[in-house]
Amino acid sequence: MQDSTQTPPLSERRKALFEPLEPVGSANSRLPSNESLLPPPDFDSASYPRGWLIGKRRKLVNVDVVESMRRIAVQEMNRKDREIDGLNEQLEEDARVLEHLQVQLLDEKSKRSEVERENKMLQDQISMLMNMLDENESMEEVPDEP
């Protein structure tokens, strides 16, 4: 008669889970290698603990941890996208302001050139009038000869 608390016999794969991958004596002298910590290639997925799966490099990972890390990564990407969108809006606004300032600068340059042209014309008129005055004065100083 078998005891009801006795566990059923384990399959070879399940036994492999509980066997050390390296001799125990060598584990005391140094850290186990990364390869020894990996599950065997034929690791039975039915024997994974609940909530765990094999990730990259055949390592067991917790599904909840992976999901929370994915959520955090998505939140971070969304935050970065919002930040980039804000910077793009600022850049567009700066481009509009720069374009407006360039138009104003062109207007100011054209006004300045117009004022300089007027000043030059006025200077020419003044010099012409001064010459005419000088000529009139010189003609008045010369006595009339009878």
Side-chain angles (χ1 to χ4, degrees), residues 10-21 40 42-43:
L10 295 174
S11 70
E12 287 300 316
R13 285 185 179 174
R14 291 211 174 204
K15 283 182 188 175
L17 291 176
F18 301 104
E19 293 174 7
L21 298 176
D42 60 346
F43 198 61

Side-chain angles (χ1 to χ4, degrees), residues 45-140:
S45 61
S47 63
Y48 298 165
R50 186 172 185 180
W52 292 75
L53 54 83
I54 289 196
K56 291 182 179 177
R57 300 187 183 134
R58 294 177 18 233
K59 290 185 181 176
L60 279 179
V61 293
N62 187 304
V63 176
D64 295 332
V65 171
V66 171
E67 183 60 26
S68 76
M69 289 171 60
R70 188 193 66 79
R71 252 186 267 115
I72 290 170
V74 167
Q75 288 171 354
E76 189 65 17
M77 287 189 299
N78 289 339
R79 186 184 68 78
K80 290 286 186 186
D81 286 346
R82 285 191 302 273
E83 187 176 321
I84 289 170
D85 290 343
L87 290 173
N88 282 337
E89 289 174 10
Q90 183 65 43
L91 188 61
E92 289 171 6
E93 180 65 26
D94 290 349
R96 283 192 293 272
V97 168
L98 181 63
E99 185 178 348
H100 179 69
L101 290 174
Q102 286 174 335
V103 168
Q104 281 183 332
L105 180 63
L106 284 175
D107 289 346
E108 292 297 322
K109 283 183 177 179
S110 64
K111 286 178 186 176
R112 181 177 178 163
S113 63
E114 182 66 30
V115 166
E116 286 176 353
R117 238 180 292 132
E118 287 178 7
N119 281 345
K120 177 74 173 138
M121 189 176 68
L122 290 174
Q123 287 291 336
D124 289 345
Q125 287 178 353
I126 289 173
S127 63
M128 187 176 73
L129 288 173
M130 291 299 284
N131 287 339
M132 288 174 64
L133 276 175
D134 286 343
E135 286 176 10
N136 281 341
E137 285 179 3
S138 65
M139 291 184 101
E140 288 177 2

